[in-house]
PDB file of all heavy atoms in Angstrom:
ATOM      1  N   ALA A 332      87.260  75.945  42.670  1.00  0.00           N
ATOM      2  CA  ALA A 332      88.380  75.114  42.124  1.00  0.00           C
ATOM      3  C   ALA A 332      87.824  73.759  41.710  1.00  0.00           C
ATOM      4  O   ALA A 332      88.239  73.222  40.615  1.00  0.00           O
ATOM      5  CB  ALA A 332      89.388  75.032  43.043  1.00  0.00           C
ATOM      6  N   ARG A 333      87.048  73.060  42.637  1.00  0.00           N
ATOM      7  CA  ARG A 333      86.528  71.849  42.285  1.00  0.00           C
ATOM      8  C   ARG A 333      85.531  71.911  41.042  1.00  0.00           C
ATOM      9  O   ARG A 333      85.457  71.041  40.220  1.00  0.00           O
ATOM     10  CB  ARG A 333      85.725  71.278  43.573  1.00  0.00           C
ATOM     11  CG  ARG A 333      86.740  70.655  44.621  1.00  0.00           C
ATOM     12  CD  ARG A 333      85.847  69.936  45.580  1.00  0.00           C
ATOM     13  NE  ARG A 333      85.072  70.683  46.453  1.00  0.00           N
ATOM     14  CZ  ARG A 333      85.462  71.312  47.589  1.00  0.00           C
ATOM     15  NH1 ARG A 333      86.693  71.086  48.039  1.00  0.00           N
ATOM     16  NH2 ARG A 333      84.669  72.143  48.268  1.00  0.00           N
ATOM     17  N   TYR A 334      84.703  72.951  41.074  1.00  0.00           N
ATOM     18  CA  TYR A 334      83.651  73.170  39.973  1.00  0.00           C
ATOM     19  C   TYR A 334      84.410  73.255  38.619  1.00  0.00           C
ATOM     20  O   TYR A 334      84.087  72.624  37.688  1.00  0.00           O
ATOM     21  CB  TYR A 334      82.802  74.332  40.284  1.00  0.00           C
ATOM     22  CG  TYR A 334      81.754  74.531  39.246  1.00  0.00           C
ATOM     23  CD1 TYR A 334      80.614  73.820  39.380  1.00  0.00           C
ATOM     24  CD2 TYR A 334      81.962  75.516  38.337  1.00  0.00           C
ATOM     25  CE1 TYR A 334      79.600  74.003  38.381  1.00  0.00           C
ATOM     26  CE2 TYR A 334      80.773  75.754  37.382  1.00  0.00           C
ATOM     27  CZ  TYR A 334      79.764  74.966  37.402  1.00  0.00           C
ATOM     28  OH  TYR A 334      78.700  75.251  36.464  1.00  0.00           O
ATOM     29  N   MET A 335      85.475  74.028  38.640  1.00  0.00           N
ATOM     30  CA  MET A 335      86.274  74.075  37.433  1.00  0.00           C
ATOM     31  C   MET A 335      87.061  72.804  37.047  1.00  0.00           C
ATOM     32  O   MET A 335      86.917  72.514  35.774  1.00  0.00           O
ATOM     33  CB  MET A 335      87.328  75.254  37.584  1.00  0.00           C
ATOM     34  CG  MET A 335      86.794  76.708  38.002  1.00  0.00           C
ATOM     35  SD  MET A 335      85.849  77.429  36.647  1.00  0.00           S
ATOM     36  CE  MET A 335      87.192  77.857  35.553  1.00  0.00           C
ATOM     37  N   ARG A 336      87.480  72.171  37.943  1.00  0.00           N
ATOM     38  CA  ARG A 336      88.121  70.890  37.636  1.00  0.00           C
ATOM     39  C   ARG A 336      87.071  69.868  37.099  1.00  0.00           C
ATOM     40  O   ARG A 336      87.346  69.198  36.126  1.00  0.00           O
ATOM     41  CB  ARG A 336      88.805  70.272  38.906  1.00  0.00           C
ATOM     42  CG  ARG A 336      89.540  68.988  38.679  1.00  0.00           C
ATOM     43  CD  ARG A 336      89.879  68.345  39.940  1.00  0.00           C
ATOM     44  NE  ARG A 336      88.777  68.003  40.846  1.00  0.00           N
ATOM     45  CZ  ARG A 336      88.718  68.235  42.109  1.00  0.00           C
ATOM     46  NH1 ARG A 336      89.649  68.902  42.714  1.00  0.00           N
ATOM     47  NH2 ARG A 336      87.646  67.879  42.688  1.00  0.00           N
ATOM     48  N   ASP A 337      85.904  69.808  37.707  1.00  0.00           N
ATOM     49  CA  ASP A 337      84.871  68.879  37.248  1.00  0.00           C
ATOM     50  C   ASP A 337      84.460  69.251  35.906  1.00  0.00           C
ATOM     51  O   ASP A 337      83.888  68.439  35.099  1.00  0.00           O
ATOM     52  CB  ASP A 337      83.781  68.909  38.309  1.00  0.00           C
ATOM     53  CG  ASP A 337      84.048  68.219  39.634  1.00  0.00           C
ATOM     54  OD1 ASP A 337      85.160  67.464  39.716  1.00  0.00           O
ATOM     55  OD2 ASP A 337      83.239  68.496  40.576  1.00  0.00           O
ATOM     56  N   GLY A 338      84.567  70.537  35.470  1.00  0.00           N
ATOM     57  CA  GLY A 338      84.086  71.163  34.277  1.00  0.00           C
ATOM     58  C   GLY A 338      85.166  70.895  33.240  1.00  0.00           C
ATOM     59  O   GLY A 338      85.122  71.339  32.121  1.00  0.00           O
ATOM     60  N   GLY A 339      86.419  70.373  33.628  1.00  0.00           N
ATOM     61  CA  GLY A 339      87.471  70.167  32.622  1.00  0.00           C
ATOM     62  C   GLY A 339      88.412  71.261  32.529  1.00  0.00           C
ATOM     63  O   GLY A 339      89.153  71.417  31.497  1.00  0.00           O
ATOM     64  N   VAL A 340      88.540  72.149  33.568  1.00  0.00           N
ATOM     65  CA  VAL A 340      89.612  73.253  33.626  1.00  0.00           C
ATOM     66  C   VAL A 340      90.467  73.262  34.689  1.00  0.00           C
ATOM     67  O   VAL A 340      89.978  73.085  35.871  1.00  0.00           O
ATOM     68  CB  VAL A 340      88.801  74.644  33.538  1.00  0.00           C
ATOM     69  CG1 VAL A 340      89.755  75.827  33.658  1.00  0.00           C
ATOM     70  CG2 VAL A 340      87.880  74.832  32.316  1.00  0.00           C
ATOM     71  N   SER A 341      91.739  73.175  34.490  1.00  0.00           N
ATOM     72  CA  SER A 341      92.684  73.267  35.592  1.00  0.00           C
ATOM     73  C   SER A 341      92.968  74.708  36.053  1.00  0.00           C
ATOM     74  O   SER A 341      93.155  75.590  35.369  1.00  0.00           O
ATOM     75  CB  SER A 341      94.080  72.653  35.041  1.00  0.00           C
ATOM     76  OG  SER A 341      94.019  71.284  34.583  1.00  0.00           O
ATOM     77  N   THR A 342      92.962  74.729  37.375  1.00  0.00           N
ATOM     78  CA  THR A 342      93.447  76.018  37.982  1.00  0.00           C
ATOM     79  C   THR A 342      94.497  75.799  39.051  1.00  0.00           C
ATOM     80  O   THR A 342      94.692  74.702  39.426  1.00  0.00           O
ATOM     81  CB  THR A 342      92.094  76.706  38.748  1.00  0.00           C
ATOM     82  OG1 THR A 342      91.686  75.707  39.677  1.00  0.00           O
ATOM     83  CG2 THR A 342      90.975  76.953  37.760  1.00  0.00           C
TER      84      THR A 342
END
Side-chain angles (χ1 to χ4, degrees):
R333 281 191 292 270
Y334 184 75
M335 300 294 286
R336 183 190 64 225
D337 291 345
V340 173
S341 298
T342 60

